Amino acid sequence: MTGTAAPFAADDYRARMERAARSAAEAGLAGLLVAPGPDLVWLTGYAPTAVTERLTLLVLAPGQDPVLVVPTLEAPDAAKATGAGALTLRDWTDGKDPYAATAALLDTGGRFGISDNAWAMHLLGLQKALPGTSYASLTDALPMLRAVKDAAELELLAAAGAAADATFEEIRKVPFGGRRESEVAADLAGLLRRFGHAQVDFTIVASGPNGANPHHEVGDRVIERGDMVVLDFGGLKDGYGSDTSRTVHVGEPTDEERRVHDLVRAAQEAGFRAVRPGVPCQEVDRAARAVIAEAGYGEYFIHRTGHGIGVTTHEPPYMIEGEEQPLVPGMCFSVEPGVYLPGRFGVRIEDIVTVTEDGGRRLNDTTREMVIVD
């Protein structure tokens, strides 16, 4: 994970680690084992410059001080992390057994939550060292660990959203017709960086029939006059994510294209209006999906309505049928319905939304009306 570290202090990371340990206990876990990745960054501020076969693992357990097990050669960098003052570093040297060192910190018969992105070799090494232990993926055990953002996190997400909005306002001024999708995607990436993004995660430019593929890989197709073009882009600014989609049209659209765009816009509004504390996540999906289904396009809305966002651009919670997790103030997620007509065109409109005390607030404010480009 790259990007400028968010402006948090050691006490912020200490509070996060304490909350994570309490959450683990409430979930019936003996503790949490956190490998390099977004969870480790969020809990400690530490992102190793390179993730290798050498074990790095944060051990959190109720009633114990946090311990970060690190290779000796990486300990100096780990000690510089902002959250290092809130934990104990325990280093191990090449030739020693890192699993034995870690096992000494663990309940020999405990069940632990472990990062989804932990290497299999490390999990198997721990199981061999402590055969009485068992493990659950962190997403399954504590899916809402990072879901509720504090005021500082919300400020950073709002700033990332504003940077994505500024990117859209600029990209709509550039020529589309006669240029390759890859060229417009490069423009998007450059603009995201100009407006403060240190990391660009995706720049989807899906023109004409390519727009019917929600995750179209940018290619060399030349954008033509008369094309609908789905733009979906985002990344990390100061450690927090942006993600927005708008659908533009090269020249004047047909009546059908306008009708479908207006339909998706109405569905996006319905999904946004459904956001309020206590409402199950699936109700956001249902609200947006109902608008599209009632218009006869239900079979062409082929993905969930939204995903969480924070130190990664995709994380829990998910706005999808079957997700009964209630919305809580401070949650942030996308609301992004779409209609995809195979071989013809697609439309998607996406904002990041945060739950407030009495409803929802958009973190993207560019127009959701049809935008005509050259």
Side-chain angles (χ1 to χ4, degrees):
M1 180 175 179
T2 61
T4 304
F8 299 112
D11 284 347
D12 297 310
Y13 293 112
R14 179 179 289 107
R16 290 177 184 177
M17 287 188 280
E18 290 173 352
R19 175 156 63 91
R22 286 196 304 271
S23 298
E26 291 165 1
L29 298 171
L32 301 179
L33 306 177
V34 186
D39 291 316
L40 187 63
V41 171
W42 184 77
L43 286 163
T44 69
Y46 177 50
T49 54
V51 178
T52 72
E53 73 284 354
R54 294 184 173 94
L55 178 71
T56 294
L57 202 66
L58 174 68
V59 178
L60 299 177
Q64 298 181 21
D65 290 336
V67 177
L68 182 62
V69 178
V70 294
T72 299
L73 75 170
E74 295 175 11
D77 287 338
K80 296 175 185 176
T82 307
L87 52 77
T88 298
L89 286 177
R90 181 166 297 184
D91 65 312
W92 62 274
T93 58
D94 284 354
K96 301 294 184 180
D97 184 351
Y99 307 112
T102 307
L105 305 171
L106 306 181
D107 178 346
T108 57
R111 181 170 178 77
F112 295 88
I114 189 165
S115 300
D116 294 29
N117 57 334
W119 286 21
M121 66 178 285
H122 297 321
L123 176 56
L124 292 170
L126 289 171
Q127 288 178 318
K128 183 177 179 180
L130 291 173
T133 55
S134 60
Y135 302 86
S137 76
L138 211 52
T139 291
D140 287 340
L142 293 176
M144 296 298 116
L145 179 63
R146 306 195 318 257
V148 179
K149 275 64 179 177
D150 62 27
E153 290 182 292
L154 290 174
E155 185 176 336
L156 289 164
L157 282 161
D165 283 357
T167 294
F168 178 71
E169 293 297 353
E170 290 300 312
I171 202 68
R172 61 186 289 185
K173 300 174 185 176
V174 309
F176 278 69
R179 300 178 71 210
R180 298 183 188 279
E181 291 175 341
S182 56
E183 293 175 308
V184 177
D187 288 344
L188 279 170
L191 287 166
L192 284 168
R193 292 190 176 95
R194 191 215 297 181
F195 292 115
H197 281 64
Q199 177 174 314
V200 176
D201 286 347
F202 48 89
T203 52
I204 294 173
V205 179
S207 62
N210 289 341
N213 176 0
H215 281 174
H216 168 65
E217 290 286 341
V218 166
D220 288 332
R221 182 182 185 275
V222 175
I223 301 169
E224 301 174 357
R225 189 164 187 82
D227 278 349
M228 196 83 90
V229 185
V230 179
L231 305 173
D232 186 346
F233 51 93
L236 297 182
K237 179 182 184 295
D238 296 328
Y240 280 75
S242 69
D243 185 2
T244 189
S245 300
R246 293 293 186 263
T247 303
V248 301
H249 198 276
V250 185
E252 285 299 316
T254 65
D255 290 344
E256 182 190 21
E257 288 170 332
R258 280 196 181 277
R259 184 169 64 250
V260 172
H261 190 280
D262 287 346
L263 173 63
V264 174
R265 181 165 55 88
Q268 207 271 347
E269 179 69 17
F272 169 69
R273 294 295 176 191
V275 175
R276 59 184 183 280
V279 169
C281 291
Q282 66 181 2
E283 292 301 326
V284 178
D285 182 83
R286 288 174 176 177
R289 199 168 299 277
V291 173
I292 292 173
E294 287 168 8
Y297 287 87
E299 66 182 291
Y300 303 113
F301 181 9
I302 56 177
H303 56 72
R304 65 195 175 203
T305 293
H307 58 81
I309 190 169
V311 293
T312 60
T313 48
H314 279 210
E315 61 185 47
Y318 298 103
M319 307 302 113
I320 190 172
E321 181 66 30
E323 179 53 80
E324 298 180 351
Q325 166 69 42
L327 298 180
V328 176
M331 284 182 173
C332 289
F333 48 84
S334 65
V335 178
E336 51 176 307
V339 168
Y340 308 93
L341 303 178
R344 301 183 62 207
F345 65 89
V347 176
R348 182 165 63 256
I349 299 173
E350 173 186 16
D351 293 327
I352 299 302
V353 173
T354 184
V355 184
T356 64
E357 294 298 330
D358 57 1
R361 176 170 67 95
R362 299 181 194 268
L363 300 187
N364 296 106
D365 293 318
T366 55
T367 182
R368 285 165 285 278
E369 301 282 348
M370 172 80 77
V371 170
I372 308 300
V373 296
D374 293 331

